[in-house]
Amino acid sequence: MATIDDVAKLAGVSTATVSRVLNNTANVSEETRAKVLYAIEKLNFKPKFSAKALAKSKKRFKIGLGLGKRMQLLRDESDELGGQFYGIIVREIKALAMMHGAIVKELWLEDDLYEKFDGFILVGLDVTREILKKFKDTEKPIVLLDHYITGEEIDSVLSDNYNGAFCAVNYLINKGYKDIIHIHGPLTSYSFKRRHDGYIDAMKNAKLKSQCYEYDDVKNNIDVVIQKIIKGKIPEAIFASNDITAMRIISELKKYKIGIPDKVKIIGFDDIPMAKKFNPPLTTVKVFKQEMGSIAFKRLYELMLNENIHPTRISVYTKFIRRKSG
Amino acid sequence: MATIDDVAKLAGVSTATVSRVLNNTANVSEETRAKVLYAIEKLNFKPKFSAKALAKSKKRFKIGLGLGKRMQLLRDESDELGGQFYGIIVREIKALAMMHGAIVKELWLEDDLYEKFDGFILVGLDVTREILKKFKDTEKPIVLLDHYITGEEIDSVLSDNYNGAFCAVNYLINKGYKDIIHIHGPLTSYSFKRRHDGYIDAMKNAKLKSQCYEYDDVKNNIDVVIQKIIKGKIPEAIFASNDITAMRIISELKKYKIGIPDKVKIIGFDDIPMAKKFNPPLTTVKVFKQEMGSIAFKRLYELMLNENIHPTRISVYTKFIRRKSG
């Protein structure tokens, strides 16, 4: 049987680091964490709490991980892009499930539920009220991840989108910029909506006029949006509702010889791994993706054990990361 | 050593109910829960997880429970009133601490920290940014309870004030009322502020004019507020930011022979035990006080064990309770 030393050796890190990953006792970089999780999976390593968890559950829980077609589109288009955000969350959930002796099976939100599951984690904005109803009808525990449906008392795990956006926009305002626009994804996404609210409130607080443009990252019609924007007065800064959008904005502006950050400052959201390697490196708001995955898994596990059943909504704090683009 | 049967016997409930209280596996009424916690404390009962918890922590954690002078004022004025909300939360924390082999000591937020604590739970709106700084300087884990300070990345446990208020006001709107006013406590309280936001947004959504009056429940100057209101057109409904305020409004309106709910509908917030015994029984939004106490304790315990340290803000869903007043 694999030991913690085997995991550390294969991952090329210390056993202390493996322990930090297992217990989330300190911030470990996403790269290091990924290496450790990979080694754990490869060696089929079961930490001490695994046996305890299995004894407590008395059976191998089967978890349905519900993904939307929209996520599939993003993944098809570029495996890397999808893997930069939801990929990290999904990997975390699968690793934790393995360590807890549970089984995770991906399923499409739109599919019929022929199989029996003990609980569900439903990911992202594709979860509509109608889709949620279908899952609720199974009467199994559900955790919504990176989404929330107003008025539904369903356990949800989100990043603190509002405050993250508010702080990022405030940073631009404090640097003296007044003409700051916001390009955002579909506002049916609770996360995009709250980032949008944070932008609107920061601008209102500073008595500045807000201006928003909607952009669909699945269609990738950023060229149309940018054409509309540069027809008017070019803004001093753009706050994008995620990093992918921010990077596409920069690429598009480059075609018009509009330099970043000289001419326009750009700030993204998420801090996907690509963000720091981009040219220029992206100023952004870090979303703690692994923590979100880990909190969602642990909450579902608790619910499957029928413990602490009263539903809650958990917001994971974000962090502003200043690089070169804004 | 006391057993679960002893606890059940003293509390006058079944052992299954004691188990439900210990694991939060189903909603148990506040009265029953109080009886069970009392029996646990009286018999010094230690459930199985207690020994495990103590073994894991390797020592008896000492927890500082920070209370504000404002809470003391409420408590002095009427022990019952204070005991109806924070009293329930505090009792829950103390019972859980006892079961986990931890020690809880109450302290005033304004006091100097001479003693050594392993962690803090700070309760309510008296926690200012300055006071929080003093506690942060100790570098010990902190959980804020029923409060949040914008921009501070501190673990916080709140009720879902915004949605609770939004739903309550929507209920009045759906019944056809248009002239709905809001009487609220100090908006420096994050909870009162979010209830206020929920009222404002519900009114805005329905294209109705909102009208707010501030009231200080410590000064208890409700007579002044009511005089102001009845000088103008008497509203169809009043949404109060907590039950104590709602009950005082009703008592004050009775002096002017304004009947509730015939003339004016009144809705409170919190569902304190007194609310259902009031005349008329109060329509309100139930805050899950024990769950908040229990979540706050468990989160602090995790932080003291240095596990899952990334900070989060947890909102506990509320429930609309329709009685006679509105």
Side-chain angles (χ1 to χ4, degrees), chain A residues 110-302:
Chain A
E110 297 80 4
D111 286 351
D112 283 323
L113 297 167
Y114 297 116
E115 283 189 83
K116 288 221 166 147
F117 292 97
D118 299 299
F120 299 98
I121 295 178
L122 308 180
V123 187
L125 79 164
D126 294 304
V127 185
T128 60
R129 213 176 286 273
E130 292 67 40
I131 287 176
L132 180 62
K133 192 187 171 304
K134 186 180 69 173
F135 285 90
K136 276 166 81 175
D137 285 346
T138 68
E139 296 185 357
K140 297 293 178 188
I142 299 169
V143 174
L144 268 181
L145 216 166
D146 195 36
H147 195 40
Y148 167 64
I149 300 175
T150 312
E152 295 281 352
E153 290 174 11
I154 286 284
D155 279 274
S156 308
V157 178
L158 296 150
S159 59
D160 189 14
N161 295 298
Y162 177 88
N163 285 302
F166 190 93
C167 292
V169 176
N170 248 345
Y171 164 84
L172 291 168
I173 292 170
N174 288 336
K175 289 193 96 178
Y177 305 119
K178 289 179 169 51
D179 198 7
I180 305 163
I181 68 168
H182 179 41
I183 301 182
H184 58 78
L187 297 184
T188 46
S189 149
Y190 187 78
S191 295
F192 287 154
K193 173 69 170 63
R194 291 300 287 162
R195 292 172 192 183
H196 167 268
D197 293 348
Y199 161 78
I200 296 282
D201 285 358
M203 295 297 277
K204 212 196 295 187
N205 261 15
K207 297 188 170 53
L208 294 175
K209 219 185 120 231
S210 55
Q211 196 172 357
C212 299
Y213 293 87
E214 179 152 343
Y215 154 73
D216 188 335
D217 54 351
V218 169
K219 283 189 197 148
N220 190 8
N221 59 342
I222 199 72
D223 49 342
V224 183
V225 177
I226 294 296
Q227 272 168 31
K228 233 188 278 179
I229 291 170
I230 61 173
K231 258 184 205 160
K233 193 188 157 213
I234 292 172
E236 294 172 291
I238 300 175
F239 170 56
S241 68
N242 66 13
D243 288 347
I244 298 179
T245 308
M247 291 188 281
R248 286 177 178 163
I249 293 168
I250 293 174
S251 303
E252 196 62 28
L253 286 175
K254 277 181 187 164
K255 292 185 194 162
Y256 296 92
K257 310 257 179 260
I258 296 172
I260 313 296
D262 308 334
K263 264 259 160 139
V264 182
K265 321 289 160 196
I266 312 252
I267 296 185
F269 209 110
D270 288 346
D271 195 31
I272 58 177
M274 281 173 77
K276 71 168 168 231
K277 296 169 196 152
F278 200 70
N279 180 20
L282 211 59
T283 296
T284 187
V285 180
K286 182 179 168 92
V287 167
F288 289 79
K289 308 164 223 31
Q290 288 125 344
E291 281 77 3
M292 285 173 70
S294 147
I295 291 169
F297 175 83
K298 284 175 184 163
R299 183 62 187 131
L300 183 70
Y301 201 80
E302 216 175 25

Side-chain angles (χ1 to χ4, degrees), chain B residues 101-155:
Chain B
I103 301 155
V104 174
K105 198 171 176 290
E106 286 186 20
L107 56 104
W108 297 119
L109 293 172
E110 297 79 5
D111 286 351
D112 283 325
L113 297 167
Y114 296 117
E115 284 190 82
K116 288 221 166 148
F117 292 98
D118 299 297
F120 299 98
I121 295 178
L122 308 180
V123 186
L125 80 165
D126 294 304
V127 185
T128 61
R129 213 177 286 275
E130 293 65 43
I131 287 176
L132 181 62
K133 194 188 169 302
K134 186 180 72 173
F135 285 91
K136 277 167 78 176
D137 285 346
T138 67
E139 295 184 358
K140 297 295 176 186
I142 299 169
V143 174
L144 267 182
L145 217 169
D146 195 36
H147 196 40
Y148 167 64
I149 300 174
T150 312
E152 295 282 350
E153 291 175 9
I154 286 285
D155 278 275

Side-chain angles (χ1 to χ4, degrees), chain A residues 24-25 154 306 313 315 317, chain B residues 25 154 306 308 313 315 317:
Chain A
N24 290 317
T25 54
I154 286 284
N306 195 28
R313 197 173 59 242
S315 303
Y317 290 114
Chain B
T25 54
I154 286 285
N306 196 27
N308 305 316
R313 197 174 59 243
S315 302
Y317 291 114

Side-chain angles (χ1 to χ4, degrees), chain B residues 26-94:
Chain B
N27 286 326
V28 173
S29 79
E30 294 185 345
E31 288 83 352
T32 306
R33 197 175 175 91
K35 277 189 231 159
V36 172
L37 292 184
Y38 174 81
I40 285 172
E41 219 174 320
K42 200 83 188 163
L43 296 167
N44 198 17
F45 169 69
K46 300 259 191 284
K48 256 192 279 170
F49 64 76
S50 177
K52 274 190 218 160
L54 203 55
K56 209 170 177 187
S57 69
K58 294 187 186 95
K59 68 174 209 173
R60 287 173 76 85
F61 284 132
K62 194 168 175 191
I63 299 168
L65 185 65
L67 305 172
K69 288 272 185 250
R70 192 173 172 285
M71 204 163 300
Q72 179 63 5
L73 282 174
L74 281 175
R75 203 186 261 186
D76 285 345
E77 187 193 322
S78 155
D79 208 14
E80 254 218 280
L81 284 190
Q84 298 266 322
F85 189 84
Y86 288 118
I88 294 172
I89 292 178
V90 167
R91 188 183 61 210
E92 180 77 22
I93 293 170
K94 287 183 173 170

